[in-house]
Each structure stands twice: as structure tokens, then as C-alpha cells.
Amino acid sequence: MNNPLLQNSDLPQFEKIKPEHILSAMTTTLDDSRDLIKKLENIEKADWETLVKPLELIDDRISQCWSPVRHLNSVKSSDELREAYTACLPLLSDYSTEISQNRKLFNAYQSIADGAQFKELNGAQQKTINDALLAFKLGGVDLSGEDKQLYQAIQKRLSELTTEFENNVLDATQSWELILSDTTRLKGLPEYAVSMLLQYAEQKSLEGYRVTLDMPCYIAVITYADDRDLRHTIYQAFTTRASDQGITDEKFNNADNLVEILNKRQEKAQLLGFKNYTELSLQTKMANDIDEVLNFLYELAEKSRPAAKQEFEQLKDFARQEGLEDELMAWDIAYYSEKLKQQKYAISEEDLKPYFSDNLVISGLFKIVEKLYQITIEDISSSVQRWHDDVRFYQIKDSSGEIIAKFYLDLYARNGKRGGAWMDECVNRYVIDGKIQLPVAYLTCNLTPPIGGQPALFTHDEVITLFHEFGHGLHHMLTRVDVPEVSGINGVEWDAVELPSQFMENFCWEHQALELFARHYQTGDPLPEELYQKMIAAKNFQSALQMLRQLEFSIFDIILHQQKEIQNEAQIQSILDNVRKKVAVVIPPAFNKFQNGFTHIFAGGYAAGYYSYKWAEVLSADAFSAFEEEGVFNKETGQRFLECILQQGGSRPAQESFKCFMGRSPEINALLRHNGIEE
Ligand code: ZN
């Protein structure tokens, strides 16, 4: 057998995997799984050994075949790869629906839960059984006849629609470019950004400067370009991606997908006996019900709104003083905000960038977690197959020198790579018959690439992004749970998943942490104290406005998924408009179709769950306050965080893990304090 996806290797053979391997590997794997499950359906006495253990093995095999495919489709997309990937989606969706609707398997799990063995199982095993029972119910095991088929059809359609949604966003993003023959219109842009645009043009064998909608490019232009028309143009292109409003191609319009995705989700929720999709979504969350979530969001909004209004008024005044004659428009906000920030705090992102060069940031990040959790991290990139030369590969050792995890790190923005930053599982920690399968993670970012032979210089925001994803990575990799369904981030309630990631962001502001990596890339000088003080002073610049933006998205998401039926695109817009009326201080222009590119909720896992960021930020801010009190690098506090939270994964409810660390339930104060909104 020559298919690299079917060979039993410890790590994916990225150099050998070709699009033509994908469909046949998945078909074979799923068919084999079905045969094995047929046998399991008829076992006489179901227990952990006879039922759960073999099923875990089956799941793990599927995951190891599919995970590299899903990953490659995100980081090294091509038409052939996408086609093969898309062809597998209905197969996977069918398979997963079949399993969750398999009555015999459900009964077998139920008999374990009801039987005498259950009490003898450890916590992780018990949680696995309970999670599985819930998954069966949410997967439609109780449905009969036609309803069962209807459910299957909905799942299949949803999988197609969400993929199409995401593809449209990626294609719309990549289809747009603006070629400038000289730098006249690029006045105001920092030198690195101009070089980046030159490099973008060179990569396509073009003359001049190529402006794209890649994150590093968009941010640079919208923040620094003096040319107001250019800012307007890029803002319009960016915020109308995948819509009918745009200057990007209308064939990528997501309007119909939006409507159908929402209706299919409602249909599914109602079929399962829920009032609406939000109610269904909250079944697997830490939050108890919709009221609790909405009250939480509105309370934060109410506390942030007065400060946000002030921040916006101040910005408008400033723009006027700077000579802006007409109204402050959406494409002026980042530009004048940056100038105001410079005036108030005499600090610009550009001042900081020389202190955040890629290799120093990475080694500093490693030193921080090495201090906190008594681990060591080693670069072993040359020992494995990678999908791009820029990708690095590392192993983590615990205090006794034993290897406990590995990870890939793919840092820079590049063509063919999906936008954003994320952590994904490559291999799950799993102990089978005493043999440990080590966890492996993919950490993917779209940070500013190295330009003109210099090391890559990051903005502070980019450093925060890297720390954030690394926090997810640690959750996946430092787990000590042996059962794959609840090891690492598996089985963690979705609204608690961002705890370890947002927790890590705090270190980007700590003096003692910055000392470990913020050094000038040319001179090696540490970040000057004066610059650090300015950075801290500017930390909460417009934080209330940012808070409101996140709350606006969160509330929109919850309410949208509460609707019984969505008639058309206009209805979605009017829901969004109403939320903005209630919550927002800044109202974007009518052409802005941000929702058409809102992949988190329409293509990712955040449907009726975008609030999770804020929810978990309460947890992470609160948890970090223990480090503020006990010492940022306090070994005992680090050890407690490791043992109570990171190592536990989804083996118990997040509330319990939090209480283990803090000795009490979460409180909202630390979040408001960190944002400078309330003392
Ligand atoms: Zn995250």
C-alpha cells in the first residue's frame, strides 16, 4: 500500500501526501471503521474494554488520516487539494451521523452508565461516557424514521454550506489586489510595509507595489496610509468580501449561504426538540442558559458604553484638530486612532517592532513557559517532513527530561493560507495498553513575514496572537489525561476553551516576561524602560470601544441563532442593525457586510458561541490575578495552574478545574480592571 495517509507513521508524511491519496484513504478508513463497528454492535456485555476502547482506536485512526488533510487544506491550498478535501466532507458527515444515530451503540453506552462498572471507572472515563451519551442525543439517536433521514440530510447540507462559506471568504480575499506603480499613494506607510508590498508584487512577478487583503497588508494600509481614498478603497474591499456590495467578485457572495446555514441549524435544533439553535448550542457549554449569557453580555456592555462613548468623542475631536473637514468615516478610525495614540502616549507600533523579532520572541515565549511549568522546548525541525520551509517543529520535555509532546509552528502570512491564527490537533494524547501516544499540535498564524533578508518584526498585537495560540497548544500538549476523548482540549466546554489561550496573552504585558524576549534585533538592547511605561499607559487605549465591538458580535450571534426562521439577507442585516443600536457606539457604513465573512460563527465552531471569548476572558483574567498577587513566575502558582487546568483537559467540568486553581468561582472584576474600565 503506497498511500501515505494509510501508513502507520508517527507524524504525517507531508512531502508525500498528494491530492489523489485523499479520497481513497478516507473511503478505506471509513469502510474499515464501519466493519469494526458492525462487530461491536453485537457484543454481549458492553464495558470499557469491549466497547469504548476499540471505538477509541477507530476514532483515532480516522483522526490521524483526516487531520493532515484538513490542515493542508488550510495552509497550502490548491484547486486539486480543495477538490479532494471537499469530496470527503459528505463521507465524513454521513459517517458521523451514522455513529451518533446508532441505537445499538447508544444502548451499549447507556448500559455502561447504568451498570456496576461505572463507579469503578476513573473521572476521565466517566466523563467520556457521559459526553458520549450527550453526543448521541444531540446527534439524533432518539429520532425515528423520516426524522432520522431529515437530520442526516441537514448535517450533510450544513457541512457543504459552511465549507462553501469559508471558501468564498478565502477566494474573495485572495482575488482582490491593487497594483501601484510607485509609492505616491503609499505615503505614511512605514518602511517595512512598503517593502512588504514590493515583495508581494515580486512574488507574482509584477512590477510596482501590490496591495492585498492579507491581514498584515490590510492593517498597515488602514492604519498608516495618508491617502484617504486608498484607505476607503481597501476598507470597502475588505468589509464587503463575499457580498454583493463589494469590489471583489460577486460570485463569492455568501448571502444565500448565510440564510440557508441559519435555517438548517434551526431545523436541526427543532428536530432535536430545542426551541432554537442557541439553546442547542448551550448544551455543551459551561454557561447554563441563554438568559445567563445575554445578561452577562449586556452587563459588560452597560459597564463599557460610557467609556466607549468618551473614547469615540475624543477621537472625533482629534480628527477635526488634525484637519479632517468632513465626518470621521469607518476608514479613518484606525488611521486617526494611531495618530491619537502617538500624540497621547508618544508611542507607535513602529517604535516597538524592532524589539519583537521572530526568533527572540519565540525563544522568550519558550523561556516563559519553561519557567512556569518546568518544561524544556527543543527545535528538531530538520528531523521531520514539513509542508513549507518556513515551518518549524519542536519537542517538549518535562522536568525529568522525558519527551511529552511535539508541535509544528507555521508563523507567516503567505499565499494559499487561510487567514487568522489557530491551533489544531495533529495527534491526541492517548494511552493504549500502557503505550503512550504523544500529543502533537499545529500552531498556525498569519504574522508579518521576514522582509528583505531581515528577521520578521512583529507588532505587539502579533506577539499577543502568537502567545494566544501557544496557550491553546499548551492545553493540548501538557495534558496528562490518557483517554483521547477528554485529553487536551477535547471535551472542554467551548466557552472555557479560551481560558489557557487568553491567559497567555497577559505575559505580553509583564515586565519580567518582556525582559526575556523584547530586545532590539540589531543592537540587542532591552526594551527601554521609557518605552515600556508608554506601552503600559497605552494598553487600555480605546479598550472600551474594542470591548463593545466584541460584545456586538457576541450578542448578534446569540440573537441570530434564536430566530425561528430567516427569510432573507435583509432580516439578518436588520438584526445586526438593532444590536448595534442597542450596544455599539461606532456604526459602520451600510455597505459593510462583515457578517458575510464572519467565519467564526458560519464556518467555525463558534455558532451561538462567539460569546465564549468574553466568557473565558473572565476566567483567564481572574486566573491571572492569582499570578499578579503571588508573583508572575511563582513556581507554585504555575504548578497549580498546570495541574488544575492544563493537565486536566476535558476530564471534568471547567467549573471544577477553575475552582481547583482559584479555590472559588470566577469573578468579573479582574477583567474590568485589566481593561481599565473599572477599578
Ligand atoms: Zn483562541
Side-chain angles (χ1 to χ4, degrees):
M1 201 185 305
N2 284 325
N3 194 324
L5 288 166
L6 293 173
Q7 283 156 7
N8 241 341
S9 54
D10 288 345
L11 293 165
Q13 304 177 65
F14 287 109
E15 287 159 15
K16 292 189 191 157
I17 300 171
K18 299 279 174 288
E20 58 266 29
H21 296 128
I22 294 173
L23 187 61
S24 76
M26 280 315 289
T27 312
T28 309
T29 308
L30 293 176
D31 285 348
D32 290 353
S33 303
R34 283 191 175 93
D35 290 344
L36 291 164
I37 284 168
K38 275 250 142 46
K39 287 178 198 145
L40 291 176
E41 281 173 359
N42 298 314
I43 39 168
E44 281 194 11
K45 199 188 160 311
D47 58 27
W48 188 271
E49 287 292 311
T50 59
L51 181 76
V52 187
K53 205 168 131 184
L55 273 175
E56 275 175 351
L57 202 57
I58 293 170
D59 281 350
D60 193 64
R61 220 173 275 157
I62 297 174
S63 150
Q64 293 215 32
C65 182
W66 182 240
S67 156
V69 176
R70 181 179 61 210
H71 181 67
L72 282 175
N73 186 54
S74 298
V75 296
K76 203 184 179 182
S77 172
S78 68
D79 290 345
E80 297 75 28
L81 182 65
R82 184 189 280 185
E83 201 181 305
Y85 170 85
T86 311
C88 292
L89 293 175
L91 306 182
L92 276 160
S93 157
D94 282 350
Y95 174 82
S96 120
T97 312
E98 256 171 64
I99 301 297
S100 51
Q101 296 191 341
N102 187 320
R103 191 82 215 173
K104 287 180 179 166
L105 284 186
F106 171 72
N107 290 339
Y109 267 90
Q110 190 66 57
S111 74
I112 302 178
D114 296 340
Q117 194 202 16
F118 192 73
K119 272 184 255 144
E120 289 155 29
L121 298 176
N122 64 38
Q125 291 172 318
Q126 290 185 355
K127 173 103 178 339
T128 299
I129 304 276
N130 290 332
D131 286 358
L133 288 171
L134 179 62
F136 277 115
K137 287 194 177 127
L138 300 182
V141 76
D142 290 328
L143 299 175
S144 53
E146 269 176 33
D147 284 351
K148 217 167 212 173
Q149 276 166 9
L150 183 57
Y151 182 97
Q152 284 169 11
I154 294 173
Q155 285 296 85
K156 201 177 203 163
R157 185 71 188 133
L158 273 173
S159 143
E160 288 165 12
L161 286 166
T162 51
T163 305
E164 216 175 291
F165 187 96
E166 183 160 31
N167 288 344
N168 282 340
V169 178
L170 180 64
D171 292 345
T173 307
Q174 298 201 337
S175 71
W176 188 90
E177 63 179 19
L178 180 68
I179 311 292
L180 302 173
S181 56
D182 56 43
T183 55
T184 320
R185 298 194 69 190
L186 298 176
K187 238 181 109 233
L189 258 70
E191 212 176 301
Y192 88 88
V194 176
S195 314
M196 181 169 70
L197 302 190
L198 184 70
Q199 193 164 302
Y200 280 4
E202 279 166 1
Q203 281 163 358
K204 292 241 156 173
S205 310
L206 295 166
E207 296 280 316
Y209 301 83
R210 186 166 161 260
V211 181
T212 74
L213 297 180
D214 264 1
M215 220 24 163
C217 176
Y218 175 72
I219 296 283
V221 174
I222 202 76
T223 311
Y224 297 107
D226 292 333
D227 185 327
R228 198 178 184 209
D229 284 339
L230 179 62
R231 294 201 310 267
H232 186 173
T233 304
I234 201 169
Y235 175 86
Q236 196 171 8
F238 193 80
T239 61
T240 56
R241 282 175 305 160
S243 80
D244 62 349
Q245 299 288 307
I247 32 188
T248 55
D249 201 314
E250 217 193 297
K251 70 179 175 219
F252 307 127
N253 191 354
N254 264 332
D256 293 344
N257 292 333
L258 269 174
V259 174
E260 201 182 341
I261 287 171
L262 289 165
N263 285 328
K264 287 275 171 257
R265 284 178 181 164
Q266 278 327 320
E267 226 181 301
K268 173 176 157 182
Q270 284 165 22
L271 204 54
L272 293 171
F274 295 100
K275 274 212 286 286
N276 53 56
Y277 190 80
T278 302
E279 197 178 271
L280 165 60
S281 161
L282 293 186
Q283 298 301 307
T284 48
K285 306 285 194 294
M286 186 177 166
N288 291 308
D289 54 37
I290 301 179
D291 283 348
E292 190 182 4
V293 174
L294 281 177
N295 288 340
F296 163 73
L297 296 171
Y298 282 124
E299 187 194 341
L300 277 179
E302 201 183 311
K303 291 201 156 122
S304 315
R305 241 176 98 88
K309 274 187 181 160
Q310 271 181 10
E311 288 170 4
F312 195 47
E313 284 310 314
Q314 193 182 33
L315 182 65
K316 284 197 279 193
D317 288 347
F318 174 77
R320 228 167 291 143
Q321 286 162 25
E322 288 286 294
L324 181 71
E325 281 168 8
D326 46 298
E327 215 184 313
L328 183 81
M329 303 303 280
W331 45 94
D332 300 322
I333 292 179
Y335 178 75
Y336 286 104
S337 294
E338 175 65 19
K339 292 213 164 357
L340 174 60
K341 191 167 152 189
Q342 282 188 43
Q343 193 205 51
K344 270 181 95 161
Y345 306 103
I347 191 170
S348 142
E349 280 289 359
E350 289 313 299
D351 299 335
L352 292 170
K353 281 180 84 164
Y355 295 92
F356 299 133
S357 59
D358 48 7
N359 289 336
L360 288 178
V361 170
I362 289 165
S363 70
L365 168 62
F366 292 173
K367 277 182 212 151
I368 290 167
V369 298
E370 286 175 1
K371 271 172 178 282
L372 284 170
Y373 309 127
Q374 324 301 315
I375 52 176
T376 45
I377 302 177
E378 295 164 0
D379 188 334
I380 51 163
S381 301
S382 56
S383 68
V384 298
Q385 296 186 22
R386 291 159 292 155
W387 55 93
H388 191 279
D389 283 346
D390 286 345
V391 177
R392 310 166 191 219
F393 188 74
Y394 300 89
Q395 64 184 14
I396 303 183
K397 289 179 175 168
D398 68 9
S399 54
S400 68
E402 204 173 313
I403 301 169
I404 54 170
K406 297 171 183 180
F407 61 98
Y408 299 89
L409 182 61
D410 185 355
L411 284 173
Y412 313 116
R414 119 181 124 238
N415 211 36
K417 189 169 168 184
R418 175 156 71 85
W422 65 92
M423 190 286 290
D424 197 5
E425 299 149 12
C426 174
V427 181
N428 285 308
R429 180 180 156 93
Y430 178 19
V431 176
I432 177 147
D433 299 327
K435 194 176 163 286
I436 303 175
Q437 172 176 293
L438 294 179
V440 183
Y442 299 115
L443 299 170
T444 313
C445 300
N446 274 280
L447 308 184
T448 306
I451 291 152
Q454 304 268 31
L457 300 180
F458 298 147
T459 64
H460 189 242
D461 269 352
E462 289 181 318
V463 177
I464 291 176
T465 299
L466 175 63
F467 274 56
H468 177 105
E469 298 311 330
F470 201 71
H472 283 306
L474 291 177
H475 203 187
H476 176 67
M477 295 187 286
L478 299 187
T479 188
R480 285 291 162 133
V481 176
D482 298 341
V483 187
E485 290 94 330
V486 290
S487 76
I489 65 164
N490 295 303
V492 177
E493 295 98 312
W494 199 262
D495 45 0
V497 158
E498 299 295 333
L499 161 56
S501 52
Q502 298 185 138
F503 170 80
M504 278 305 296
E505 294 180 18
N506 291 292
F507 290 93
C508 301
W509 299 98
E510 285 299 323
H511 204 277
Q512 295 174 57
L514 286 162
E515 271 176 355
L516 298 172
F517 66 88
R519 291 191 175 267
H520 197 283
Y521 77 105
Q522 283 165 326
T523 62
D525 290 342
L527 184 70
E529 182 61 23
E530 192 203 344
L531 207 49
Y532 174 70
Q533 289 306 337
K534 286 181 187 171
M535 186 178 122
I536 293 299
K539 178 182 180 218
N540 289 322
F541 177 66
Q542 295 186 344
S543 68
L545 278 171
Q546 276 166 30
M547 170 85 83
L548 277 194
R549 216 171 113 80
Q550 289 299 313
L551 294 171
E552 171 192 321
F553 298 165
S554 306
I555 295 168
F556 167 63
D557 167 44
I558 290 284
I559 293 180
L560 193 61
H561 285 102
Q562 274 184 293
Q563 308 301 311
K564 286 239 150 43
E565 203 193 343
I566 296 288
Q567 306 284 352
N568 49 38
E569 196 193 2
Q571 191 186 342
I572 300 171
Q573 187 64 53
S574 106
I575 293 168
L576 182 56
D577 292 344
N578 282 331
V579 171
R580 283 181 176 150
K581 244 182 246 159
K582 253 180 143 166
V583 178
V585 165
V586 182
I587 308 287
F591 66 71
N592 180 314
K593 287 281 168 189
F594 126 87
Q595 62 272 32
N596 289 41
F598 197 3
T599 47
H600 272 85
I601 70 167
F602 293 114
Y606 287 85
Y610 194 77
Y611 78 93
S612 301
Y613 282 104
K614 279 291 154 221
W615 187 272
E617 210 180 332
V618 171
L619 308 179
S620 63
D622 205 3
F624 192 71
S625 70
F627 286 84
E628 289 173 319
E629 271 165 39
E630 295 160 29
V632 177
F633 289 126
N634 187 310
K635 279 204 171 68
E636 281 85 55
T637 319
Q639 193 62 26
R640 199 166 80 235
F641 191 77
L642 177 68
E643 286 170 11
C644 285
I645 294 183
L646 295 178
Q647 289 182 348
Q648 295 299 328
S651 66
R652 63 185 181 192
Q655 179 79 13
E656 269 177 47
S657 294
F658 186 88
K659 274 190 180 160
C660 160
F661 177 68
M662 287 301 278
R664 59 162 173 76
S665 291
E667 289 168 5
I668 204 168
N669 319 25
L671 173 66
L672 292 170
R673 179 168 55 81
H674 285 167
N675 280 276
I677 290 168
E678 247 174 41
E679 265 313 303

